Amino acid sequence: MDMKLKPFDFSQAVARAGLSRDGMPLAKTRASEDVDKASFSSAMTDALKAVSSQQLKAEHLQHEFQLGNPSVSLEDTMIAMQKSQIGFQAALTVRNRFVQAYTDVMNMQV
């Protein structure tokens, strides 16, 4: 087994860590702030899409069970329905917390 090690490049490691050569953090650029905003919104979008897909899966299993499909069991259908219900309740809780936080901020006196 031939194993070659590259020499350690300090400046490259410091740049990847987001620090200047003297160890101080670099100022955030506008592009990095946009990435932070995009990552939060994309995380929320992904979470809502996951809840939606879980609800569609539960609805499909329920429909197939009602039609008498022998490959769909009652247990699988009930589990899928409970998963979709829990996901929906979690999404509602997050929404309610955001609305409450917004209301609290808007009611603050300046």
Side-chain angles (χ1 to χ4, degrees):
M1 181 166 98
D2 186 26
M3 190 165 115
K4 295 182 181 180
L5 297 175
K6 295 180 188 178
F8 181 73
D9 186 5
F10 180 75
S11 60
Q12 188 179 35
V14 168
R16 266 192 255 142
L19 302 171
S20 63
R21 288 195 55 81
D22 61 354
M24 298 301 292
L26 294 174
K28 279 195 166 187
T29 62
R30 184 124 176 103
S32 66
E33 291 174 3
D34 291 343
V35 169
D36 290 342
K37 290 178 186 174
S39 64
F40 177 75
S41 66
S42 66
M44 289 300 294
T45 302
D46 292 343
L48 290 175
K49 284 181 181 178
V51 169
S52 178
S53 68
Q54 189 66 36
Q55 286 179 332
L56 289 173
K57 178 183 174 188
E59 182 181 343
H60 175 71
L61 285 174
Q62 184 180 9
H63 182 70
E64 288 295 317
F65 182 76
Q66 288 173 349
L67 291 177
N69 188 344
S71 65
V72 178
S73 68
L74 177 62
E75 294 84 9
D76 292 338
T77 305
M78 294 302 292
I79 289 171
M81 289 172 61
Q82 287 296 314
K83 283 182 180 180
S84 70
Q85 183 180 8
I86 290 170
F88 184 71
Q89 288 174 346
L92 276 179
T93 302
V94 170
R95 192 237 13 209
N96 291 341
R97 295 268 175 111
F98 277 132
V99 169
Q100 184 62 43
Y102 176 77
T103 305
D104 291 346
V105 169
M106 292 306 292
N107 289 334
M108 283 183 186
Q109 296 200 1
V110 183

